[in-house]
Amino acid sequence: MAKASKLVAAKRGKVLLVRRRSDGLWMFPGGRKRSRESDKDCLRREIKEELPKLKLGRISLWKEVTARNKRSGRKMSDAIFIAKGAKGRLEIGDKKEIDRAAWQKPRGIRLTPTSRYIRDRLFPSKPRRQ
């Protein structure tokens, strides 16, 4: 089982991201699991804590990632969920941890290493023409 759960929600070419107060990096919402908590229960709890006004449609597991991030060296152990539909105001619930939430284009933004890994797998950049 993964140590953390992350949510990927996309709408009109943008993805839902939250910005960490500590370092200003953007990431997919989610967080660490508590003992005896399932991956999906962790995700639901974290979303309720971070973005209490957000309503999610059906969520499904995309992939469990257990790897070492090549850039940061950090060991990843994350359950990545995809949401079918997300609506509601992006009001911040946990203001100590997060200072902003927004629908952003997945490129051209400073992401955490794990979120960069997820973005690169789900939203690969288009090959450049020669």
Short mmCIF file of all heavy atoms in Angstrom, two decimals, residues 65-117:
data_model
loop_
_atom_site.label_atom_id
_atom_site.label_comp_id
_atom_site.label_asym_id
_atom_site.label_seq_id
_atom_site.Cartn_x
_atom_site.Cartn_y
_atom_site.Cartn_z
N VAL A 65 2.55 4.41 -7.51
CA VAL A 65 3.93 4.71 -7.88
C VAL A 65 4.83 4.41 -6.70
O VAL A 65 4.68 5.00 -5.64
CB VAL A 65 4.08 6.20 -8.28
CG1 VAL A 65 5.52 6.53 -8.58
CG2 VAL A 65 3.19 6.53 -9.46
N THR A 66 5.75 3.47 -6.90
CA THR A 66 6.79 3.20 -5.91
C THR A 66 8.10 3.22 -6.68
O THR A 66 8.43 2.27 -7.38
CB THR A 66 6.58 1.84 -5.21
OG1 THR A 66 6.42 0.84 -6.21
CG2 THR A 66 5.38 1.85 -4.31
N ALA A 67 8.78 4.33 -6.58
CA ALA A 67 10.03 4.52 -7.33
C ALA A 67 10.86 5.59 -6.64
O ALA A 67 10.38 6.27 -5.74
CB ALA A 67 9.72 4.93 -8.76
N ARG A 68 12.07 5.73 -7.10
CA ARG A 68 12.93 6.81 -6.63
C ARG A 68 12.92 7.90 -7.70
O ARG A 68 13.15 7.61 -8.88
CB ARG A 68 14.34 6.32 -6.38
CG ARG A 68 15.19 7.36 -5.68
CD ARG A 68 16.48 6.77 -5.13
NE ARG A 68 16.27 5.76 -4.12
CZ ARG A 68 16.07 6.01 -2.81
NH1 ARG A 68 16.02 7.24 -2.39
NH2 ARG A 68 15.91 5.02 -1.96
N ASN A 69 12.61 9.11 -7.29
CA ASN A 69 12.57 10.22 -8.24
C ASN A 69 13.98 10.50 -8.72
O ASN A 69 14.89 10.72 -7.92
CB ASN A 69 11.97 11.46 -7.57
CG ASN A 69 11.70 12.56 -8.54
OD1 ASN A 69 12.63 13.10 -9.13
ND2 ASN A 69 10.44 12.90 -8.71
N LYS A 70 14.17 10.49 -10.04
CA LYS A 70 15.52 10.66 -10.61
C LYS A 70 16.10 12.04 -10.34
O LYS A 70 17.31 12.18 -10.20
CB LYS A 70 15.46 10.40 -12.12
CG LYS A 70 15.24 8.95 -12.45
CD LYS A 70 15.12 8.72 -13.93
CE LYS A 70 14.77 7.26 -14.20
NZ LYS A 70 14.43 7.02 -15.58
N ARG A 71 15.28 13.06 -10.26
CA ARG A 71 15.79 14.42 -10.03
C ARG A 71 16.11 14.68 -8.56
O ARG A 71 17.14 15.22 -8.24
CB ARG A 71 14.78 15.46 -10.50
CG ARG A 71 14.67 15.55 -11.98
CD ARG A 71 13.79 16.73 -12.35
NE ARG A 71 13.55 16.76 -13.77
CZ ARG A 71 12.74 17.59 -14.35
NH1 ARG A 71 12.10 18.49 -13.62
NH2 ARG A 71 12.56 17.58 -15.65
N SER A 72 15.18 14.32 -7.68
CA SER A 72 15.33 14.67 -6.26
C SER A 72 15.96 13.56 -5.43
O SER A 72 16.47 13.82 -4.35
CB SER A 72 13.97 15.02 -5.66
OG SER A 72 13.18 13.84 -5.55
N GLY A 73 15.88 12.31 -5.91
CA GLY A 73 16.36 11.19 -5.12
C GLY A 73 15.35 10.72 -4.09
O GLY A 73 15.55 9.72 -3.41
N ARG A 74 14.23 11.43 -3.97
CA ARG A 74 13.19 11.10 -3.01
C ARG A 74 12.48 9.81 -3.40
O ARG A 74 12.18 9.60 -4.56
CB ARG A 74 12.17 12.24 -2.93
CG ARG A 74 11.05 11.98 -1.95
CD ARG A 74 10.02 13.13 -2.00
NE ARG A 74 8.84 12.77 -1.26
CZ ARG A 74 7.78 12.17 -1.78
NH1 ARG A 74 7.73 11.85 -3.04
NH2 ARG A 74 6.74 11.87 -1.02
N LYS A 75 12.23 8.96 -2.41
CA LYS A 75 11.51 7.73 -2.66
C LYS A 75 10.01 8.05 -2.68
O LYS A 75 9.49 8.66 -1.74
CB LYS A 75 11.82 6.71 -1.57
CG LYS A 75 11.30 5.35 -1.86
CD LYS A 75 11.75 4.36 -0.81
CE LYS A 75 11.20 2.99 -1.12
NZ LYS A 75 11.58 2.03 -0.10
N MET A 76 9.34 7.67 -3.77
CA MET A 76 7.91 7.93 -3.90
C MET A 76 7.14 6.66 -3.59
O MET A 76 7.53 5.57 -3.99
CB MET A 76 7.58 8.37 -5.33
CG MET A 76 8.20 9.69 -5.72
SD MET A 76 7.75 10.18 -7.41
CE MET A 76 8.68 9.02 -8.38
N SER A 77 6.05 6.82 -2.90
CA SER A 77 5.11 5.74 -2.62
C SER A 77 3.72 6.37 -2.58
O SER A 77 3.22 6.72 -1.51
CB SER A 77 5.44 5.06 -1.30
OG SER A 77 4.49 4.04 -1.04
N ASP A 78 3.15 6.57 -3.77
CA ASP A 78 1.91 7.32 -3.88
C ASP A 78 0.86 6.56 -4.68
O ASP A 78 1.18 5.90 -5.66
CB ASP A 78 2.17 8.65 -4.60
CG ASP A 78 3.12 9.55 -3.84
OD1 ASP A 78 2.70 10.08 -2.81
OD2 ASP A 78 4.27 9.70 -4.26
N ALA A 79 -0.39 6.67 -4.23
CA ALA A 79 -1.53 6.18 -4.99
C ALA A 79 -2.10 7.40 -5.72
O ALA A 79 -2.47 8.38 -5.08
CB ALA A 79 -2.58 5.57 -4.07
N ILE A 80 -2.12 7.35 -7.04
CA ILE A 80 -2.57 8.49 -7.84
C ILE A 80 -3.98 8.21 -8.33
O ILE A 80 -4.22 7.20 -9.01
CB ILE A 80 -1.65 8.72 -9.06
CG1 ILE A 80 -0.17 8.64 -8.68
CG2 ILE A 80 -2.01 10.03 -9.75
CD1 ILE A 80 0.28 9.61 -7.63
N PHE A 81 -4.90 9.08 -7.99
CA PHE A 81 -6.30 8.93 -8.37
C PHE A 81 -6.69 9.98 -9.41
O PHE A 81 -6.21 11.11 -9.38
CB PHE A 81 -7.22 9.08 -7.15
CG PHE A 81 -7.14 7.93 -6.20
CD1 PHE A 81 -6.20 7.92 -5.18
CD2 PHE A 81 -8.00 6.86 -6.33
CE1 PHE A 81 -6.12 6.85 -4.30
CE2 PHE A 81 -7.93 5.79 -5.45
CZ PHE A 81 -6.98 5.79 -4.43
N ILE A 82 -7.59 9.58 -10.31
CA ILE A 82 -8.13 10.47 -11.32
C ILE A 82 -9.59 10.76 -10.95
O ILE A 82 -10.33 9.83 -10.62
CB ILE A 82 -8.10 9.81 -12.73
CG1 ILE A 82 -6.71 9.30 -13.08
CG2 ILE A 82 -8.66 10.75 -13.78
CD1 ILE A 82 -5.72 10.32 -13.46
N ALA A 83 -9.97 12.03 -11.02
CA ALA A 83 -11.36 12.41 -10.71
C ALA A 83 -12.11 12.66 -12.01
O ALA A 83 -11.62 13.35 -12.89
CB ALA A 83 -11.39 13.66 -9.86
N LYS A 84 -13.30 12.11 -12.10
CA LYS A 84 -14.22 12.40 -13.21
C LYS A 84 -15.14 13.50 -12.72
O LYS A 84 -16.13 13.26 -12.06
CB LYS A 84 -15.03 11.16 -13.58
CG LYS A 84 -14.20 10.01 -14.08
CD LYS A 84 -13.66 10.29 -15.45
CE LYS A 84 -12.91 9.08 -15.95
NZ LYS A 84 -12.12 9.34 -17.09
N GLY A 85 -14.75 14.73 -13.00
CA GLY A 85 -15.56 15.86 -12.59
C GLY A 85 -15.18 16.38 -11.22
O GLY A 85 -15.04 15.63 -10.27
N ALA A 86 -14.96 17.66 -11.15
CA ALA A 86 -14.69 18.36 -9.89
C ALA A 86 -15.30 19.74 -10.02
O ALA A 86 -15.12 20.41 -11.03
CB ALA A 86 -13.19 18.45 -9.64
N LYS A 87 -16.05 20.14 -9.01
CA LYS A 87 -16.67 21.46 -9.06
C LYS A 87 -16.74 22.04 -7.66
O LYS A 87 -16.56 21.33 -6.67
CB LYS A 87 -18.06 21.39 -9.69
CG LYS A 87 -19.03 20.48 -9.00
CD LYS A 87 -20.32 20.38 -9.77
CE LYS A 87 -21.25 19.37 -9.08
NZ LYS A 87 -22.49 19.21 -9.77
N GLY A 88 -16.99 23.32 -7.61
CA GLY A 88 -17.07 24.01 -6.33
C GLY A 88 -15.97 25.05 -6.21
O GLY A 88 -15.04 25.09 -7.00
N ARG A 89 -16.10 25.89 -5.20
CA ARG A 89 -15.09 26.93 -4.96
C ARG A 89 -13.80 26.32 -4.45
O ARG A 89 -13.81 25.35 -3.71
CB ARG A 89 -15.62 27.92 -3.93
CG ARG A 89 -16.67 28.84 -4.51
CD ARG A 89 -17.00 30.06 -3.66
NE ARG A 89 -16.22 30.25 -2.45
CZ ARG A 89 -16.75 30.21 -1.22
NH1 ARG A 89 -18.02 29.99 -1.04
NH2 ARG A 89 -15.99 30.40 -0.17
N LEU A 90 -12.70 26.92 -4.84
CA LEU A 90 -11.38 26.45 -4.39
C LEU A 90 -10.97 27.23 -3.14
O LEU A 90 -10.01 27.98 -3.13
CB LEU A 90 -10.34 26.62 -5.51
CG LEU A 90 -10.59 25.81 -6.77
CD1 LEU A 90 -9.46 26.05 -7.77
CD2 LEU A 90 -10.75 24.33 -6.47
N GLU A 91 -11.74 27.03 -2.09
CA GLU A 91 -11.47 27.67 -0.81
C GLU A 91 -10.46 26.82 -0.05
O GLU A 91 -10.61 25.60 0.05
CB GLU A 91 -12.78 27.77 -0.02
CG GLU A 91 -12.63 28.41 1.32
CD GLU A 91 -13.97 28.47 2.04
OE1 GLU A 91 -14.89 29.09 1.51
OE2 GLU A 91 -14.08 27.87 3.13
N ILE A 92 -9.44 27.47 0.50
CA ILE A 92 -8.39 26.76 1.23
C ILE A 92 -8.87 26.42 2.64
O ILE A 92 -9.33 27.30 3.37
CB ILE A 92 -7.10 27.61 1.32
CG1 ILE A 92 -6.63 28.05 -0.05
CG2 ILE A 92 -6.00 26.85 2.07
CD1 ILE A 92 -6.27 26.95 -0.99
N GLY A 93 -8.74 25.17 3.02
CA GLY A 93 -9.11 24.74 4.37
C GLY A 93 -7.90 24.76 5.30
O GLY A 93 -7.98 25.23 6.42
N ASP A 94 -6.77 24.24 4.86
CA ASP A 94 -5.56 24.14 5.67
C ASP A 94 -4.61 25.27 5.28
O ASP A 94 -3.70 25.09 4.48
CB ASP A 94 -4.90 22.78 5.46
CG ASP A 94 -3.72 22.55 6.39
OD1 ASP A 94 -3.32 23.50 7.10
OD2 ASP A 94 -3.19 21.43 6.40
N LYS A 95 -4.81 26.45 5.88
CA LYS A 95 -4.04 27.63 5.50
C LYS A 95 -2.60 27.60 6.01
O LYS A 95 -1.76 28.37 5.55
CB LYS A 95 -4.75 28.89 5.98
CG LYS A 95 -6.04 29.14 5.22
CD LYS A 95 -6.68 30.44 5.60
CE LYS A 95 -7.79 30.77 4.65
NZ LYS A 95 -9.10 30.57 5.10
N LYS A 96 -2.29 26.72 6.95
CA LYS A 96 -0.91 26.60 7.44
C LYS A 96 -0.04 25.89 6.40
O LYS A 96 1.14 26.17 6.29
CB LYS A 96 -0.87 25.81 8.75
CG LYS A 96 -1.47 26.54 9.91
CD LYS A 96 -1.43 25.67 11.15
CE LYS A 96 -2.18 26.35 12.28
NZ LYS A 96 -2.38 25.44 13.40
N GLU A 97 -0.63 24.97 5.66
CA GLU A 97 0.11 24.18 4.69
C GLU A 97 0.01 24.73 3.27
O GLU A 97 0.97 24.72 2.52
CB GLU A 97 -0.40 22.73 4.72
CG GLU A 97 0.41 21.78 3.88
CD GLU A 97 -0.12 20.36 3.96
OE1 GLU A 97 -0.82 20.01 4.93
OE2 GLU A 97 0.17 19.60 3.03
N ILE A 98 -1.18 25.22 2.89
CA ILE A 98 -1.45 25.63 1.51
C ILE A 98 -1.88 27.09 1.49
O ILE A 98 -2.70 27.51 2.31
CB ILE A 98 -2.57 24.75 0.92
CG1 ILE A 98 -2.08 23.32 0.83
CG2 ILE A 98 -3.03 25.25 -0.43
CD1 ILE A 98 -3.19 22.34 0.59
N ASP A 99 -1.34 27.86 0.53
CA ASP A 99 -1.76 29.26 0.45
C ASP A 99 -2.55 29.59 -0.81
O ASP A 99 -3.07 30.69 -0.93
CB ASP A 99 -0.55 30.21 0.60
CG ASP A 99 0.44 30.12 -0.54
OD1 ASP A 99 0.23 29.34 -1.49
OD2 ASP A 99 1.45 30.85 -0.49
N ARG A 100 -2.66 28.64 -1.74
CA ARG A 100 -3.41 28.92 -2.96
C ARG A 100 -3.83 27.62 -3.64
O ARG A 100 -3.14 26.62 -3.55
CB ARG A 100 -2.53 29.74 -3.90
CG ARG A 100 -3.28 30.30 -5.07
CD ARG A 100 -2.60 31.51 -5.66
NE ARG A 100 -3.33 31.82 -6.89
CZ ARG A 100 -2.77 32.01 -8.06
NH1 ARG A 100 -1.47 31.97 -8.20
NH2 ARG A 100 -3.50 32.26 -9.11
N ALA A 101 -4.95 27.67 -4.34
CA ALA A 101 -5.42 26.56 -5.17
C ALA A 101 -5.91 27.16 -6.47
O ALA A 101 -6.51 28.24 -6.46
CB ALA A 101 -6.54 25.80 -4.47
N ALA A 102 -5.65 26.49 -7.59
CA ALA A 102 -6.05 27.04 -8.88
C ALA A 102 -6.08 25.95 -9.94
O ALA A 102 -5.43 24.92 -9.81
CB ALA A 102 -5.08 28.14 -9.31
N TRP A 103 -6.86 26.22 -10.98
CA TRP A 103 -6.84 25.40 -12.19
C TRP A 103 -5.74 26.00 -13.06
O TRP A 103 -5.82 27.16 -13.44
CB TRP A 103 -8.19 25.44 -12.90
CG TRP A 103 -9.25 24.74 -12.12
CD1 TRP A 103 -10.15 25.32 -11.27
CD2 TRP A 103 -9.52 23.34 -12.09
NE1 TRP A 103 -10.96 24.36 -10.71
CE2 TRP A 103 -10.60 23.13 -11.21
CE3 TRP A 103 -8.96 22.23 -12.73
CZ2 TRP A 103 -11.12 21.87 -10.94
CZ3 TRP A 103 -9.47 20.97 -12.47
CH2 TRP A 103 -10.54 20.80 -11.58
N GLN A 104 -4.69 25.24 -13.32
CA GLN A 104 -3.52 25.73 -14.04
C GLN A 104 -3.20 24.82 -15.22
O GLN A 104 -3.48 23.63 -15.18
CB GLN A 104 -2.28 25.71 -13.13
CG GLN A 104 -2.41 26.53 -11.88
CD GLN A 104 -1.93 27.95 -12.10
OE1 GLN A 104 -1.58 28.36 -13.19
NE2 GLN A 104 -1.91 28.72 -11.02
N LYS A 105 -2.53 25.37 -16.23
CA LYS A 105 -1.97 24.53 -17.28
C LYS A 105 -0.86 23.71 -16.64
O LYS A 105 -0.15 24.22 -15.77
CB LYS A 105 -1.43 25.38 -18.42
CG LYS A 105 -2.54 26.12 -19.15
CD LYS A 105 -2.14 26.39 -20.57
CE LYS A 105 -3.29 27.08 -21.26
NZ LYS A 105 -3.90 26.32 -22.27
N PRO A 106 -0.71 22.44 -17.04
CA PRO A 106 0.26 21.59 -16.34
C PRO A 106 1.72 21.89 -16.63
O PRO A 106 2.60 21.33 -16.01
CB PRO A 106 -0.10 20.18 -16.81
CG PRO A 106 -0.85 20.35 -18.07
CD PRO A 106 -1.49 21.71 -18.02
N ARG A 107 2.02 22.79 -17.54
CA ARG A 107 3.42 23.13 -17.87
C ARG A 107 3.69 24.60 -17.56
O ARG A 107 2.79 25.41 -17.49
CB ARG A 107 3.70 22.84 -19.33
CG ARG A 107 3.44 21.40 -19.68
CD ARG A 107 4.59 20.79 -20.44
NE ARG A 107 4.40 19.35 -20.49
CZ ARG A 107 5.12 18.48 -19.80
NH1 ARG A 107 6.07 18.89 -19.03
NH2 ARG A 107 4.88 17.20 -19.88
N GLY A 108 4.96 24.93 -17.39
CA GLY A 108 5.35 26.31 -17.13
C GLY A 108 5.09 26.77 -15.71
O GLY A 108 4.91 27.95 -15.46
N ILE A 109 5.09 25.82 -14.78
CA ILE A 109 4.82 26.13 -13.38
C ILE A 109 5.78 25.31 -12.52
O ILE A 109 6.14 24.20 -12.90
CB ILE A 109 3.33 25.85 -13.06
CG1 ILE A 109 2.95 26.41 -11.71
CG2 ILE A 109 3.00 24.40 -13.16
CD1 ILE A 109 1.45 26.53 -11.53
N ARG A 110 6.22 25.85 -11.41
CA ARG A 110 7.17 25.14 -10.53
C ARG A 110 6.42 24.09 -9.71
O ARG A 110 5.65 24.43 -8.81
CB ARG A 110 7.87 26.12 -9.61
CG ARG A 110 8.84 27.04 -10.32
CD ARG A 110 9.54 27.99 -9.37
NE ARG A 110 10.18 27.29 -8.28
CZ ARG A 110 10.10 27.65 -6.99
NH1 ARG A 110 9.41 28.71 -6.64
NH2 ARG A 110 10.71 26.96 -6.06
N LEU A 111 6.67 22.82 -10.02
CA LEU A 111 6.00 21.71 -9.35
C LEU A 111 6.95 20.97 -8.40
O LEU A 111 8.17 20.97 -8.61
CB LEU A 111 5.49 20.69 -10.38
CG LEU A 111 4.39 21.14 -11.33
CD1 LEU A 111 4.18 20.09 -12.41
CD2 LEU A 111 3.10 21.39 -10.57
N THR A 112 6.37 20.30 -7.41
CA THR A 112 7.16 19.41 -6.56
C THR A 112 7.65 18.25 -7.43
O THR A 112 7.06 17.96 -8.48
CB THR A 112 6.31 18.84 -5.41
OG1 THR A 112 5.27 18.05 -5.96
CG2 THR A 112 5.75 19.93 -4.52
N PRO A 113 8.71 17.56 -7.04
CA PRO A 113 9.20 16.44 -7.84
C PRO A 113 8.16 15.36 -8.11
O PRO A 113 8.04 14.87 -9.24
CB PRO A 113 10.37 15.89 -7.01
CG PRO A 113 10.86 17.07 -6.23
CD PRO A 113 9.61 17.86 -5.92
N THR A 114 7.36 15.00 -7.12
CA THR A 114 6.33 13.97 -7.33
C THR A 114 5.28 14.46 -8.31
O THR A 114 4.87 13.72 -9.20
CB THR A 114 5.68 13.57 -5.98
OG1 THR A 114 6.69 13.03 -5.13
CG2 THR A 114 4.58 12.55 -6.18
N SER A 115 4.85 15.70 -8.18
CA SER A 115 3.85 16.24 -9.10
C SER A 115 4.39 16.36 -10.52
O SER A 115 3.68 16.15 -11.49
CB SER A 115 3.33 17.58 -8.60
OG SER A 115 2.61 17.40 -7.39
N ARG A 116 5.68 16.66 -10.65
CA ARG A 116 6.31 16.70 -11.97
C ARG A 116 6.30 15.31 -12.60
O ARG A 116 6.02 15.15 -13.78
CB ARG A 116 7.75 17.22 -11.83
CG ARG A 116 8.17 18.10 -12.95
CD ARG A 116 9.54 18.74 -12.79
NE ARG A 116 10.46 18.19 -11.84
CZ ARG A 116 10.88 18.81 -10.74
NH1 ARG A 116 10.44 20.01 -10.44
NH2 ARG A 116 11.74 18.24 -9.93
N TYR A 117 6.59 14.29 -11.79
CA TYR A 117 6.58 12.91 -12.26
C TYR A 117 5.17 12.55 -12.77
O TYR A 117 5.01 12.02 -13.86
CB TYR A 117 6.98 11.97 -11.13
CG TYR A 117 6.85 10.51 -11.47
CD1 TYR A 117 7.92 9.81 -12.02
CD2 TYR A 117 5.66 9.83 -11.25
CE1 TYR A 117 7.79 8.47 -12.35
CE2 TYR A 117 5.53 8.49 -11.58
CZ TYR A 117 6.60 7.82 -12.12
OH TYR A 117 6.47 6.49 -12.45
#
